[in-house]
Each structure stands twice: as structure tokens, then as C-alpha cells.
Amino acid sequence: MKKITISNFKGIKTLPDLSLTRSQDGCEKEVNLLLYAENGGGKTSISEAIRLFHFASNIENEMINPYIVGEEREAAKQDWLNSYLHNKSINLFEIGIDDAKFSSINTSVSPSTYIFVLDRSLLIPTSKIDIEKIISKTHFGGPTPREVLLSPIAIELVLDEVNRMLEYDFKESIRIDRVETTEYIVGIKGIQDEFITENIDKKVNEANQNLIKILIFINYLKLLPQLQDNAKYFIVLDDVMSSLDLANRIILARIIISLGKEHQLLVMTHNVGFYNLIKHLSASNNSSYDWNLTSLYMHDGTHMPYSKNNDDSVDSLLAKYDGVILPSNGDAVNAMRKKFENLLHEFAKILVTGVQEETSNLIEQIIKVGNGLYCYTDGGNIYTHFDLIKKISTLAHSCPQHLLQSKIINLFQKYDCNNQIPWISETIKNLKTYQKVILHQGSHDQIGSLPVISSKEIAITLDLMRKLEEIAKRNSSSFPYFI
């Protein structure tokens, strides 16, 4: 999959172009996409759009009684499709995947069968864990017939591997097994010395339920046959980690990075820590070029993606304009502003200050809390206030009492001397005073809508962008970023 466009669909008025490619050696390469958006930011609408595009007939058969036929069925089908319209609109919705278009009046597309979606609808707490629902025909594609996927031997293979992962990877005491009286229901062992098969939502915490369902889904992917000619299956994981604790999120993130080497993934999250974790692990596993890192913000109902792309450096931006950005070149100035916004948002993710919908709010936040934050680089690592807290905690538990005060003072001196935050905060404050970085996302293509910028102010902005880029491109140094 190369790109997704959505208009007038559920929570999205317009999503102009969500890219799943990046340039490499002069070619466009399909890559995994890590997408950050806050709750209500459009993630579920994106996964629903992909599902509808590829599983429309199966969803229709689930939503409309098969005994409804003829004109009555056509009317029921149109009512069902209209239920996807954005904000009860009377216009059409349209979903574009690559070059194909699916809409409320044109459902005759040729969908890929190699699509798999794990979303929150499959992770709602349930009284029973039903394998057939986890790999339902409205979520789980692939070339393998369902009777094979649901055969006793396939189920046994999947459950054995889930139990192995629970024990050795996740260090969990729970295990799962089939319920003998029901073909596709699995029960949970290891809680209160009983085999729990019903009322699981009341007896087992949500995190354990979800972990089991996630692992069943992932291990069914392992049963899929290899595709020819470097083709890949496309897998959507929509906010699947929400209920998991930190330790299990880390393990799940490692599994996701491994999956991303074999398949093409769209991983969506509202958790900035999980975003940072995937970013960190992809870099640690030398697979950062296999991932696009993108966030969604919304302006006037339009969901705008912005991506952190290692190829799109400050220097490469300058190179497009012969090494200099002139105040008179409106296109270059706006391109610089866009890049500056992206770097600000990536910087905010590193600090775990959150991602604001409007960049002006983010600027205010960095200026406001600047004196209370730390961020400095050393070699290939970033150190922030989270590392400082961790080091103080280590000293408190290990350092002799008579040395503790001097050790902590020395530690603060080291962080104070190397801290980049005051300079970054002060520079942003000055640019804000000039009214050069009160950036409004919709303004970038409207030449002249922002105050005129001088050559000196361009130079200051580029200096700050290089500093932010230096920080944003480095690996985080430790897991406190991910809490």
C-alpha cells in the first residue's frame, strides 16, 4: 500500500494524503507507518476506512440480513453506507487507496485480500474469548481458507505458540486452552486455580484479555504462506497497546518491529510514549528506514499528516533552494516553516510534553515549562529530565549518606552545563516576539498571510532547526521516555 486518502468519512472531513512510501535510491519504497494522533484524532476512522474498502461485502452481509433482497436490500445497503458519512453529511464519502476509489455510490473496487486489521472493536472486554471473532471475515484476510484457519491443527499451533510467548517472552503465569465443548472458544488457566471459560470480562483484567487476543491475532499471521515477488501482507494495528502495562508494551513493541521486517504495517497510537518506543526500537534494530513516523493534527476539519523523514533534513531543504532561503521566496519560507513545525512536534515527543493540535500552543508550552526541563546530547544519546530523575533515584538507593548531597549537586551541575532547553526556549521566545513562528497550519500555502521575515530571522530560525534536528534524529537513551 502506498497512500490513503479519505473524505467525508466518519470522524474525518478530509485526509488529503497519508503516505506509506519514502524515497530511497531514486525510487519510492513502500514502508511501515507509525501514526500518532490524540484520542478523537481520526485513527479509528482510518482503520474503519481500510476495513470497509477491503471487506465491504463481508461487512454488508454482517450488517444486513441475508433474507433482505432486491430493491429492499439496495435501500438497506444505501442506509448502511450513509451511516459512515461524516457528521451526518448529505455529500458522498470517498476512500482512496493507491489509485482505487471506493465511495458511498461506487463500491465496485478490486480490494486486496492481503489485509489484516486488529482494532479496538476486537479488544473490547468480552465474556468469552472466541478465536473466530478475533480472525473474523470483516478483519482478517489472506489466501488461506477459513476452514483451514479454524481447523483443530491450526488452532493447536496458534495456542501452543501463544502459551510459549506468554511464558518466555512476557513472563506471564496465565495459559490458554480450548474449551472442549465449544470449537473456537478458549479459556484461561493460572488465575485463582480455575479454568476460566465464561464471564472472563468479570474475572480477568482487561490487560490479560487483550494480550491474549493480540497474541492469537499475531500468531495467526505466522501461519500465512509466503507471498511471491517481494509482495507483503498489510497489517493495521489500531491502538492495541492501550490497556497493557509498560513492561508488556515494550515486549509488544519489539514484536511489532519484527513483524515490520516481514510485512507492511500501519501502527496507530494515541500514546506518545509508545510512539517514542517504536521510534527508539526501530533505530536500535537498524530498521528506521523501514518506517515513516507521522502525526495527525486537525485544522478546519482537515486532518493534516506531518512526517519525520530522515531524508528531509534541514540541509536537504536548503539544497532545494540553492543553499539559501531568501525572504522574497515565499515557497522557500513556507517550506522552512513547515519543517520547523515538524521538528517542534518531534522535540515535544522526546520531552513527552504531548503533541498539541496547534503549533502556537506547543510553542507556548515549551516556553512556559522551559526552565523546568532538561535535554542535552552526548554521542548518540539524548538525556532529559527523566534520566536525571532516574540517576537521582539510583544515587538515593546506592550512594552513602555522607556523599549523597555532593553527588546530587554534581549531577545537577552536569545537566545545567549541558542543557539545551534554555537556549531553545529563549530562541523560540525571541522568534515568537518577532511573530515569525506563531504558525498556523493552514497558512503555509497562503503567501503573504504571515508577517514578512528578514534574512537575519531566517538565519536564527535555521540555527534552531539544526539544533532540534540534531536532537530529534538521535536515539533516546533509556526507557523512562516511554512511561
Side-chain angles (χ1 to χ4, degrees):
M1 194 176 293
K2 296 180 179 179
K3 68 176 181 179
I4 301 168
T5 60
I6 299 173
S7 63
N8 210 33
F9 182 84
K10 295 198 74 173
I12 296 177
K13 180 180 178 181
T14 307
L15 175 62
D17 184 4
L18 189 62
S19 174
L20 290 103
T21 65
R22 71 186 304 165
S23 298
Q24 187 170 333
D25 300 326
C27 300
E28 288 295 310
K29 173 190 174 184
E30 294 181 359
V31 294
N32 305 307
L33 176 60
L34 174 62
L35 181 67
Y36 171 89
E38 295 180 351
N39 282 329
K43 300 184 300 297
T44 300
S45 296
I46 292 170
S47 63
E48 279 286 288
I50 294 171
R51 275 211 313 127
L52 183 62
F53 189 102
H54 292 285
F55 298 103
S57 60
N58 290 337
I59 298 173
E60 177 187 340
N61 292 334
E62 188 176 89
M63 298 297 296
I64 303 174
N65 191 307
Y67 296 107
I68 297 176
V69 296
E71 291 183 2
E72 188 179 355
R73 185 171 187 85
E74 285 302 312
K77 180 178 178 179
Q78 199 58 55
D79 286 343
W80 161 63
L81 289 171
N82 287 342
S83 70
Y84 290 101
L85 288 169
H86 171 72
N87 201 23
K88 297 181 180 179
S89 170
I90 61 172
N91 298 317
L92 304 176
F93 72 74
E94 185 176 82
I95 304 163
I97 294 183
D98 296 340
D99 296 324
K101 302 290 185 182
F102 180 104
S103 74
S104 38
I105 61 169
N106 176 32
T107 60
S108 58
V109 297
S110 299
S112 168
T113 59
Y114 300 144
I115 306 295
F116 309 83
V117 180
L118 181 61
D119 58 27
R120 295 296 300 168
S121 71
L122 298 180
L123 299 178
I124 295 171
T126 51
S127 63
K128 298 180 181 180
I129 295 180
D130 188 342
I131 294 176
E132 191 173 20
K133 290 183 178 178
I134 295 171
I135 58 165
S136 74
K137 291 189 288 185
T138 61
H139 287 77
F140 202 91
T144 307
R146 297 199 62 74
E147 57 268 24
V148 175
L149 291 175
L150 293 170
S151 66
I153 188 169
I155 293 173
E156 184 178 349
L157 285 170
V158 167
L159 298 193
D160 283 349
E161 184 61 16
V162 169
N163 283 329
R164 186 199 67 77
M165 294 178 74
L166 286 170
E167 181 177 3
Y168 294 104
D169 297 334
F170 290 87
K171 310 300 180 187
E172 295 282 352
S173 59
I174 57 174
R175 301 291 176 268
I176 59 174
D177 200 358
R178 292 179 64 183
V179 177
E180 292 182 4
T181 56
T182 314
E183 201 166 359
Y184 307 127
I185 303 298
V186 297
I188 302 175
K189 298 177 178 179
I191 298 175
Q192 299 177 348
D193 298 322
E194 64 173 311
F195 185 38
I196 302 173
T197 60
E198 296 184 353
N199 298 318
I200 286 175
D201 52 338
K202 296 180 176 64
K203 297 181 180 180
V204 181
N205 68 53
E206 184 180 352
N208 282 338
Q209 288 185 64
N210 285 352
L211 180 59
I212 288 168
K213 292 175 181 178
I214 291 166
L215 293 183
I216 288 173
F217 185 92
I218 286 173
N219 280 290
Y220 261 105
L221 294 173
K222 295 180 181 179
L223 297 182
L224 299 172
Q226 291 275 32
L227 296 175
Q228 302 297 317
D229 301 324
N230 296 319
K232 292 184 176 183
Y233 296 109
F234 187 81
I235 301 161
V236 179
L237 301 175
D238 179 12
D239 243 346
V240 300
M241 40 55 66
S242 295
S243 66
L244 303 186
D245 61 28
L246 176 61
N248 283 346
R249 287 182 188 183
I250 293 170
I251 299 164
L252 178 61
R254 290 174 181 154
I255 292 170
I256 287 172
I257 293 298
S258 179
L259 276 176
K261 294 179 180 179
E262 302 175 34
H263 310 292
Q264 188 183 16
L265 270 58
L266 167 55
V267 180
M268 297 188 281
T269 181
H270 75 279
N271 184 286
V272 70
F274 193 70
Y275 174 98
N276 282 344
L277 179 53
I278 297 291
K279 173 184 172 184
H280 169 83
L281 290 177
S282 66
S284 300
N285 286 271
N286 298 315
S287 58
S288 55
Y289 278 91
D290 295 328
W291 289 84
N292 273 354
L293 308 178
T294 300
S295 297
L296 284 182
Y297 61 78
M298 190 166 67
H299 172 62
D300 284 346
T302 297
H303 285 72
M304 303 294 295
Y306 59 88
S307 298
K308 178 184 181 297
N309 189 322
N310 290 336
D311 295 332
D312 186 21
S313 66
V314 175
D315 288 340
S316 67
L317 174 65
L318 280 169
K320 294 178 183 178
Y321 301 100
D322 298 324
V324 62
I325 293 179
L326 299 173
S328 57
N329 188 337
D331 288 340
V333 170
N334 279 336
M336 181 187 72
R337 284 173 170 140
K338 286 182 179 180
K339 179 63 179 175
F340 182 59
E341 274 191 289
N342 294 355
L343 289 170
L344 272 177
H345 282 270
E346 290 304 317
F347 182 59
K349 293 194 189 101
I350 289 170
L351 298 181
V352 197
T353 60
V355 179
Q356 302 298 315
E357 195 169 284
E358 295 287 346
T359 304
S360 58
N361 294 339
L362 178 57
I363 290 170
E364 291 285 354
Q365 189 176 11
I366 291 174
I367 292 173
K368 180 179 178 181
V369 300
N371 293 330
L373 299 178
Y374 286 94
C375 184
Y376 78 88
T377 59
D378 181 19
N381 292 321
I382 306 164
Y383 296 94
T384 74
H385 36 284
F386 293 109
D387 296 283
L388 177 59
I389 293 169
K390 183 179 179 181
K391 289 178 184 294
I392 292 173
S393 176
T394 301
L395 286 173
H397 288 90
S398 62
C399 182
Q401 191 68 33
H402 66 283
L403 296 175
L404 183 59
Q405 182 177 358
S406 63
K407 290 284 188 182
I408 291 177
I409 289 173
N410 290 337
L411 187 59
F412 269 103
Q413 287 177 343
K414 179 180 179 181
Y415 271 71
D416 286 332
C417 289
N418 293 284
N419 193 17
Q420 302 290 326
I421 292 288
W423 180 84
I424 291 170
S425 180
E426 187 65 24
T427 305
I428 291 175
K429 187 187 299 182
N430 290 337
L431 291 171
K432 178 180 182 296
T433 302
Y434 299 147
Q435 293 188 327
K436 306 307 175 191
V437 295
I438 304 299
L439 300 179
H440 194 286
Q441 283 85 344
S443 68
H444 297 304
D445 297 319
Q446 300 171 21
I447 306 303
S449 63
L450 292 174
V452 177
I453 191 168
S454 70
S455 296
K456 180 179 179 180
E457 290 155 4
I458 288 174
I460 293 172
T461 305
L462 289 171
D463 282 346
L464 178 58
M465 288 169 64
R466 288 192 177 94
K467 179 58 67 178
L468 293 175
E469 183 178 54
E470 179 186 359
I471 293 170
K473 73 182 180 182
R474 292 169 187 254
N475 298 334
S476 52
S477 61
S478 59
F479 287 125
Y481 297 115
F482 312 135
I483 293 174

